[in-house]
Amino acid sequence: MNARIISALVIKDIVLIFRNKLFLLITVFGSIAYIAIYFVMPTTVDESLKIGLYSSSPVVPPVFQNLIDGGQEGVDVDKLDSDQALRDAVDEGTYIAGIALPADILTGDNPQINLYSRSDTPTEVSDSLAFMVSELAYVQSGQLPVTSQSVLGTDLIGKQIPMQDQMRTILPSILIIVQLFALATLISEEFEGRTVRAVLVSPANIVDFFMAKGVFGVGMAFGQGLIITAIIGGLATQAGIVILTLLLASLVITGIGFLCGAFSKDNMSAVSWSFVVMMLLLMPAMTALTPGVSNWVKIIPSYYFVDTLHRAMNFGMGWSDLWPSLLIMAAFAAAFTSLGVLALRKKVR
Amino acid sequence: MTDAIVAENLTYWYGDLVAVDHIDFNVASGEIFGFLGPNGAGKSTTVKMLTAQMKPKDGTATILGMDVTTKVRQIQSQIGVCFELPNMYEQMSAIENLKLFARLFNTKDFDGYDLLKRVDLAGRENERVENYSKGMRQRLMVARALVSKPKILFLDEPTSGLDPSSADGIRDIIRKESQRGATVFLTTHDMMEADELCDRVAFMDEGKLVALDTPHNLKLKYGRRALKAQVAGRGGELEEREVVMDRPDTPKAVEELFSSENVVTVHSEEATLGAIFMQITGRGLSG
């Protein structure tokens, strides 16, 4: 291993990658877009539920009027003029749910209350709303039984995290995963252009070549991940764990990049391979923050980047909580870099 | 003169195919050595072993006294290789390519601009290689092989695809490198080029070394020299006469030609390396 040779090869890779227009588009403009998206995300959670209400009765029952007047914390209720207007507003997403009160709400034996919700309304919200309405109707008329006053499902008000904090976790992960594309195409170009032969017939040997590619891959991924994390304030909590997670994630991606480069016959197949793998790796980035995520996602290495960053950045979890995830990431890093080097070595030979 | 390259019993096989079959040769320091043979003869495999890209399956090879299997980095720091197919970093400029390899070789007093001037690329130094023509790329490949001022130059078809003027320029560089003291191992299909440049040539065929000598000796050994004459007949028409040289009756035949015929033109005919290769192997270089 020769430091002078490795540094010359790394500098060459940096020059080449910044002359690759597609990579520039993805990385430079992507990074700017990520940061812009982060800063336009809401910094607080809107904890109130916006609900529409239509009453067929000329007089809105007092308990429901109380809701309209803001008598219930966390619930904003607006009165609408017709059942159709209520349906339309819910359908357009103006309200998370709608309550349609019948004309006989105050006088009927079993008044029928209609609740409207959108298909993407969380079940917890619609269930909670149903309970609330039943309770209020009972209070109002004494006709509907109240079976429970507890909140069903997940209490979203307690668990919600501002969008900006969610992005703080996701953005560095996406940026690191995208480096897979750069590394895979760079490696495949070396083989397609036969430049690897020219390098390996100089004093540079195969170890220098792999080291240079590894340093470049990890450096690009980790460097960019760290910079964007710092910019968006991701190092404010558990900085050590966050930095280690970014480093391990970069190692995993470098190993996978080696594999994609080794299995690609040409530049086009490198783009295709890395795109498919990138899509797979991006899945946990989108789902890891959702409570009750499917177990199958946990076999995808990137789940652990996002999940560890999320727990460290947003909940301040420390080494004692996160060491299993860090250990799993270290194992993934060792496995993928070893497999990647073996595959590339075979290809070189 | 010491030997820069020594191959003894050098052998390589791919599965059942013996690509290089127990060949022996040596190349003296400062010599221009031509390595000729048709496609698939085993030339590239031999060059890969000599440049320490592949380990021989049998036999040995030494470069400047160093074993190709154990002194890989030391050998590769002393040689320059020009590949047949262009393999430059296309998105880098010519000067950036040369500077990269100068750093890999740790070349002192490197002057890339002078090197590019030598291969007639002055003024195009900062252009990206992707914008170069085939001939320009080929010349740049030669320049890259010279970056480290190598003691041995391995050149694979260095004039392939070049216009006559550029090809002459490359041949001139080869001669100058030899005068500098570099050993040149030249793989080529161009028999004229080999005849013109090489001190000795080796013929490879089906993995075997079938002939090795100076072009002159090969012609003497295998070629047929002849005297070709045009004589005027009785009606003034031109007729061809041939006197084969190097026979016991050659002097008498020459004397008879000039005494009994009206000789109009006369010239000698020498065997070409291509003809000799065909005579030895029974096939041409293209096959």
Side-chain angles (χ1 to χ4, degrees):
Chain A
M1 211 159 57
N2 183 307
R4 172 181 47 77
I5 288 173
I6 292 169
S7 68
L9 292 174
V10 170
I11 291 167
K12 177 263 299 175
D13 282 340
I14 292 170
V15 168
L16 285 176
I17 208 69
F18 281 102
R19 287 181 186 172
N20 182 321
K21 292 184 180 72
L22 188 56
F23 172 80
L24 263 189
L25 192 73
I26 289 174
T27 297
V28 178
F29 294 109
S31 300
I32 294 167
Y34 298 152
I35 293 169
I37 288 167
Y38 172 79
F39 283 109
V40 299
M41 286 291 130
T43 54
T44 56
V45 175
D46 181 2
E47 294 188 341
S48 63
L49 295 175
K50 284 181 77 74
I51 292 168
L53 185 143
Y54 164 68
S55 175
S56 297
S57 166
V59 179
V60 179
V63 290
F64 289 98
Q65 185 60 49
N66 184 44
L67 282 180
I68 296 169
D69 297 337
Q72 178 71 43
E73 191 182 350
V75 181
D76 284 347
V77 179
D78 292 335
K79 184 172 179 291
L80 285 96
D81 296 332
S82 68
D83 186 73
Q84 189 57 47
L86 176 64
R87 284 166 175 265
D88 292 346
V90 172
D91 192 41
E92 288 164 7
T94 309
Y95 302 105
I96 196 164
I99 305 166
L101 301 176
D104 60 350
I105 180 74
L106 292 172
T107 57
D109 288 339
N110 288 299
Q112 181 65 45
I113 298 173
N114 289 326
L115 294 178
Y116 302 124
S117 61
R118 276 160 53 96
S119 58
D120 58 353
T121 301
T123 314
E124 295 85 351
V125 173
S126 48
D127 288 350
S128 302
L129 190 65
F131 259 87
M132 184 184 77
V133 170
S134 297
E135 188 183 357
L136 291 173
Y138 179 78
V139 169
Q140 183 65 61
S141 63
Q143 293 184 37
L144 291 177
V146 177
T147 54
S148 171
Q149 292 189 7
S150 62
V151 177
L152 292 178
T154 307
D155 182 358
L156 291 178
I157 290 173
K159 285 196 175 175
Q160 278 186 323
I161 290 171
M163 199 61 165
Q164 204 174 66
D165 287 353
Q166 292 189 24
M167 296 304 283
R168 186 182 293 151
T169 302
I170 295 171
L171 291 183
S173 303
I174 293 175
L175 202 62
I176 288 173
I177 290 168
V178 166
Q179 300 312 309
L180 164 69
F181 170 81
L183 191 60
T185 52
L186 198 69
I187 288 171
S188 77
E189 278 174 4
E190 292 270 15
F191 286 96
E192 196 179 5
R194 299 174 300 278
T195 45
V196 63
R197 270 193 78 191
V199 169
L200 293 180
V201 84
S202 78
N205 60 28
I206 200 161
V207 176
D208 298 326
F209 181 78
F210 287 144
M211 279 302 293
K213 286 281 178 278
V215 168
F216 169 78
V218 173
M220 286 292 284
F222 178 67
Q224 291 185 65
L226 188 63
I227 289 168
I228 199 165
T229 302
I231 290 173
I232 63 181
L235 298 176
T237 314
Q238 299 291 4
I241 291 175
V242 171
I243 289 170
L244 181 62
T245 304
L246 294 175
L247 186 61
L248 290 172
S250 304
L251 276 166
V252 172
I253 292 302
T254 300
I256 297 174
F258 277 15
L259 280 171
C260 287
F263 285 118
S264 303
K265 286 181 178 167
D266 52 32
N267 212 18
M268 274 312 293
S269 67
V271 170
S272 308
W273 270 110
S274 47
F275 185 77
V276 170
V277 177
M278 256 167 37
M279 288 297 107
L280 189 70
L281 292 172
L282 286 172
M283 265 189 236
M286 299 304 162
T287 60
L289 305 180
T290 311
V293 65
S294 301
N295 276 335
W296 68 265
V297 173
K298 294 179 182 175
I299 64 169
I300 302 176
S302 50
Y303 167 80
Y304 296 93
F305 317 163
V306 184
D307 187 57
T308 309
L309 290 177
H310 179 54
R311 290 167 194 272
M313 285 179 182
N314 295 330
F315 294 102
M317 288 189 186
W319 297 99
S320 58
D321 296 310
L322 296 175
W323 70 264
S325 294
L326 293 168
L327 201 62
I328 290 170
M329 271 197 288
F332 271 126
F336 280 113
T337 47
S338 303
L339 286 173
V341 166
L342 283 176
L344 270 186
R345 181 180 277 268
K346 190 179 174 197
K347 183 157 182 160
V348 167
R349 283 177 173 170
Chain B
M1 220 184 262
T2 55
D3 287 332
I5 302 171
V6 178
E8 288 177 350
N9 209 25
L10 196 62
T11 306
Y12 197 92
W13 59 83
Y14 301 95
D16 293 334
L17 175 73
V18 181
V20 178
D21 194 356
H22 301 89
I23 64 172
D24 297 274
F25 65 90
N26 64 322
V27 181
S29 291
E31 182 178 3
I32 302 177
F33 186 83
F35 203 53
L36 315 175
N39 293 331
K43 302 189 304 288
S44 297
T45 304
T46 304
V47 170
K48 281 180 182 172
M49 287 189 281
L50 294 178
T51 53
Q53 294 179 70
M54 291 193 331
K55 289 185 178 176
K57 296 278 174 100
D58 198 8
T60 59
T62 59
I63 299 291
L64 301 166
M66 296 178 283
D67 192 310
V68 293
T69 60
T70 57
K71 303 283 184 186
V72 175
R73 201 192 286 259
Q74 291 93 325
I75 288 172
Q76 291 180 335
S77 65
Q78 305 277 356
I79 63 174
V81 181
C82 174
F83 298 86
E84 181 182 6
L85 296 172
N87 57 355
M88 310 297 298
Y89 287 103
E90 299 272 315
Q91 290 178 319
M92 288 165 66
S93 68
I95 194 73
E96 284 172 334
N97 268 282
L98 296 189
K99 281 180 178 173
L100 165 65
F101 280 83
R103 279 197 291 271
L104 296 182
F105 280 97
N106 200 23
T107 308
K108 310 292 180 199
D109 308 323
F110 168 70
D111 186 348
Y113 292 95
D114 181 58
L115 206 46
L116 289 170
K117 197 174 164 188
R118 285 181 69 188
V119 294
D120 204 20
L121 288 174
R124 311 290 294 268
E125 302 92 344
N126 297 310
E127 254 181 67
R128 287 192 190 180
V129 177
E130 62 190 354
N131 298 324
Y132 273 24
S133 68
K134 186 185 173 193
M136 289 165 73
R137 285 169 202 221
Q138 193 64 36
R139 280 180 275 153
L140 183 57
M141 297 270 290
V142 173
R144 187 180 65 186
L146 299 174
V147 155
S148 61
K149 302 184 182 78
K151 289 184 177 166
I152 303 179
L153 258 177
F154 288 90
L155 304 174
D156 193 355
E157 304 285 353
T159 58
S160 170
L162 294 183
D163 61 79
S165 169
S166 298
D168 277 344
I170 297 299
R171 288 183 199 119
D172 193 42
I173 287 171
I174 292 171
R175 284 190 202 93
K176 283 180 178 159
E177 285 300 304
S178 176
Q179 286 161 11
R180 176 175 70 80
T183 306
V184 180
F185 192 94
L186 176 67
T187 307
T188 181
H189 280 99
D190 188 337
M191 290 292 182
M192 298 284 282
E193 183 172 88
D195 199 355
E196 182 188 335
L197 284 174
C198 297
D199 299 311
R200 287 190 305 152
V201 294
F203 288 161
M204 274 290 268
D205 188 41
E206 295 181 340
K208 290 187 167 67
L209 210 58
V210 291
L212 195 169
D213 212 329
T214 63
H216 179 71
N217 287 345
L218 284 173
K219 287 173 193 170
L220 283 180
K221 188 173 177 183
Y222 296 102
R224 195 187 66 148
R225 296 192 303 154
L227 197 67
K228 293 263 187 179
Q230 282 185 320
V231 299
R234 288 173 187 249
E237 73 281 6
L238 291 177
E239 293 173 9
E240 298 284 336
R241 297 284 185 272
E242 182 182 274
V243 177
V244 178
M245 307 292 280
D246 306 317
R247 285 183 180 173
D249 63 343
T250 299
K252 190 181 173 189
V254 172
E255 191 181 334
E256 274 182 15
L257 174 69
F258 281 94
S259 61
S260 60
E261 303 267 19
N262 182 12
V263 177
V264 180
T265 65
V266 64
H267 62 272
S268 63
E269 186 183 81
E270 270 196 332
T272 63
L273 287 178
I276 293 169
F277 184 86
M278 192 172 278
Q279 189 183 332
I280 294 171
T281 64
R283 59 199 180 113
L285 272 176
S286 58

